[in-house]
């Protein structure tokens, strides 16, 4: 099967590409050098190719080179370009688009039908709005022969993450490790009582590949395993051999939503008791921290 993958250099993209190749898929990519999504015409390099699946993961997230409003415009542009190209030149392909849990507003149950309710968290608002618009564009497609999915994954983690990635779990790993090595205090923001869901990268891909059998669906991807920040930090400390009782908490910092966990009742219903991979937090963190430690010894 022929697959077009956008965002192949991102965390999920790198792991998904590796998995698809292991399953004997022929994977082609779109990035800043090959078929740049900045212009739809750049994708015409693949006009002679017939894709079975298009995975659209590309997005501009934390670029310091552009303003938030520019990020919104650019994300809307690349989303519109891949959808337009698919409709015009790859009608036989299934388009798999990825949303974000940041589009769910605080206090709203994170069920698929609530994706557009209220305003997203201010910190991620413009990025979230671009993801909402992409789903609206898919809903407005009139051609019933076009197949698509819109997947919304809870927070993904695992090895081979970018060392500059500033998501909270990786911050915990870096700061805990440095605190251990430098014999200093490990400080987290808030009381540690906020609830978060984490899902290991292999488990996400397992669920993504399963959902390919469905059409025109919006599906949350998660595992229903939730932890307090304190529980996550304690596991990180245990793996790095840092005394959890020494962790300090800065109560002056904003820690975001009190609870962030997607409702996966739809996925459970669709999967009909299928046994997905379900990596424990302990095992997932062990592999992730092992990767981090190893990366520190690599020559720069």
């Amino acid at each position: 099967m022929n697959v077009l993958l956008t965002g192949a250099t991102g965390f999920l993209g790198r792991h998904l590409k590796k998995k698809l190749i292991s399953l004997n898929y022929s994977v082609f990519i779109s990035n800043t050098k090959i078929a740049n999504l900045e212009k739809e015409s750049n994708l015409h390099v693949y006009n002679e190719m017939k894709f079975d699946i298009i995975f659209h993961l590309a997005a501009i997230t934390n670029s310091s080179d552009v303003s938030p409003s520019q990020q919104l415009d650019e994300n809307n542009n690349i989303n519109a370009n891949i959808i337009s190209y698919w409709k015009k030149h790859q009608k036989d392909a299934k388009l798999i688009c990825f949303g974000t849990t940041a589009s769910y507003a605080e206090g709203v149950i994170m069920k698929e039908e609530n994706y557009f309710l209220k305003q997203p968290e201010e910190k991620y608002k413009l990025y979230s709005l671009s993801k909402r618009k992409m789903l609206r564009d898919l809903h407005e497609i009139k051609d019933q022969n076009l197949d698509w999915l819109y997947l919304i994954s809870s927070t993904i983690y695992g090895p081979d993450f970018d060392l500059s990635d500033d998501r909270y779990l990786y911050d915990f790993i870096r700061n805990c490790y440095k605190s251990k090595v430098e014999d200093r205090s490990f400080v987290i923001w808030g009381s540690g009582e906020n609830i978060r869901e984490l899902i290991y990268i292999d488990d996400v891909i397992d669920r993504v590949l399963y959902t390919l059998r469905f059409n025109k669906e919006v599906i949350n991807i998660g595992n229903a395993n939730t932890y307090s920040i304190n529980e996550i930090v304690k596991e990180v400390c245990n793996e790095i051999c840092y005394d959890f009782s020494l962790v300090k908490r800065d109560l002056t910092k904003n820690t975001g939503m009190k609870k962030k966990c997607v409702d996966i009742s739809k996925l459970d219903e669709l999967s009909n008791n299928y046994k997905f991979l379900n990596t424990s937090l302990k095992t997932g963190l062990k592999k992730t921290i092992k990767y981090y430690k190893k990366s520190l010894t690599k020559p720069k």
Side-chain angles (χ1 to χ4, degrees), residues 23 35 41 61 109 132 141 155 192 194 199 212 226 229 239 292:
L23 295 173
S41 59
T61 53
I109 296 174
R132 285 185 176 186
I141 292 172
T155 301
N194 291 32
I199 181 166
L212 295 181
T226 59
I229 291 297
E239 186 60 33
Y292 174 71

Side-chain angles (χ1 to χ4, degrees), residues 31-47:
N31 59 25
T32 56
K33 296 180 180 179
I34 304 172
N36 191 327
L37 289 177
E38 187 179 70
K39 294 181 179 179
E40 182 189 335
S41 59
N42 292 335
L43 288 161
H44 291 183
V45 67
Y46 290 131
N47 279 1

Side-chain angles (χ1 to χ4, degrees), residues 199-243:
I199 181 166
Y200 190 68
I201 182 64
D202 293 351
D203 301 0
V204 172
I205 292 174
D206 182 43
R207 287 158 175 77
V208 167
L209 295 180
Y210 183 88
T211 62
L212 295 181
R213 66 197 68 194
F214 305 112
N215 295 320
K216 298 179 178 67
E217 295 281 5
V218 181
I219 306 173
N220 283 335
I221 302 292
N223 55 15
N225 296 329
T226 59
Y227 316 88
S228 70
I229 291 297
N230 280 324
E231 289 175 311
I232 296 170
V233 170
K234 187 173 184 178
E235 285 290 348
V236 170
C237 288
N238 288 343
E239 186 60 33
I240 295 177
C241 298
Y242 184 91
D243 188 345

Side-chain angles (χ1 to χ4, degrees), residues 143-156:
D143 189 336
Q144 295 301 309
N145 294 318
L146 289 170
D147 290 336
W148 57 267
L149 285 174
Y150 188 93
L151 306 179
I152 310 161
S153 174
S154 56
T155 301
I156 308 169

Side-chain angles (χ1 to χ4, degrees), residues 93-153:
K94 180 191 291 289
L95 177 64
I96 316 295
C97 292
F98 285 76
T100 174
T101 56
S103 289
Y104 286 114
E106 184 165 12
V108 170
I109 296 174
M110 293 184 176
K111 290 179 69 71
E112 293 86 349
E113 59 264 34
N114 296 337
Y115 198 64
F116 295 107
L117 290 182
K118 302 182 179 179
Q119 288 297 305
E121 191 176 359
E122 191 64 32
K123 183 178 179 181
Y124 309 106
K125 183 175 181 180
L126 296 183
Y127 172 70
S128 301
L129 291 177
S130 72
K131 292 293 189 177
R132 285 185 176 186
K133 183 179 186 304
M134 180 165 61
L135 180 53
R136 285 194 179 95
D137 291 344
L138 292 174
H139 280 312
E140 290 174 1
I141 292 172
K142 304 303 181 186
D143 189 336
Q144 295 301 309
N145 294 318
L146 289 170
D147 290 336
W148 57 267
L149 285 174
Y150 188 93
L151 306 179
I152 310 161
S153 174

